Amino acid sequence: MSTQPIEDSHDEPLFPMPPLTEQALRVAVRSLGLSAAVRFEEEFHSAWQEAVQTDSTVPMHTFLQRWGIFVALRRYPERARRLHELETAVAEASSVEDARCAAAEIGVLLDAARREVAA
């Protein structure tokens, strides 16, 4: 697998990291693409339904965390490009070792996104 840096220090975010609220994430996801916006709405309604049925805020909290990480991963164009490249590498890997290397780098990207969301 490539040893290129995960993030280019010159890569500027498309927008600031939004707060983990439904409306702020909705706006951010819409700016990232129509298919993501459709998926966001579908998952929002499912999480809302589950929260009502279980009388728990956990489904909504999980939803907001997951979509916050989605936004954090994709708000930097270089990071989004690298994520896509690594996902393709996993899908097309010719060996388990190649898939593991790409998956490990995806893990590093996810860790960086989680830190942004937690900040």
Side-chain angles (χ1 to χ4, degrees), residues 35-93:
S35 64
V38 169
R39 214 166 68 240
F40 178 93
E41 293 302 329
E42 290 170 351
E43 289 185 21
F44 170 76
H45 292 294
S46 292
W48 181 258
Q49 236 178 359
E50 185 180 347
V52 168
Q53 289 172 351
T54 61
D55 194 28
S56 172
T57 60
V58 171
M60 293 307 296
H61 177 74
T62 301
F63 168 83
L64 294 172
Q65 288 293 314
R66 181 174 55 246
W67 281 94
I69 290 168
F70 178 91
V71 167
L73 281 168
R74 289 162 179 85
R75 71 191 192 100
Y76 285 91
E78 180 59 26
R79 184 189 290 170
R81 183 203 61 75
R82 185 66 179 145
L83 176 63
H84 178 72
E85 185 178 86
L86 291 166
E87 289 171 335
T88 300
V90 168
E92 298 174 354

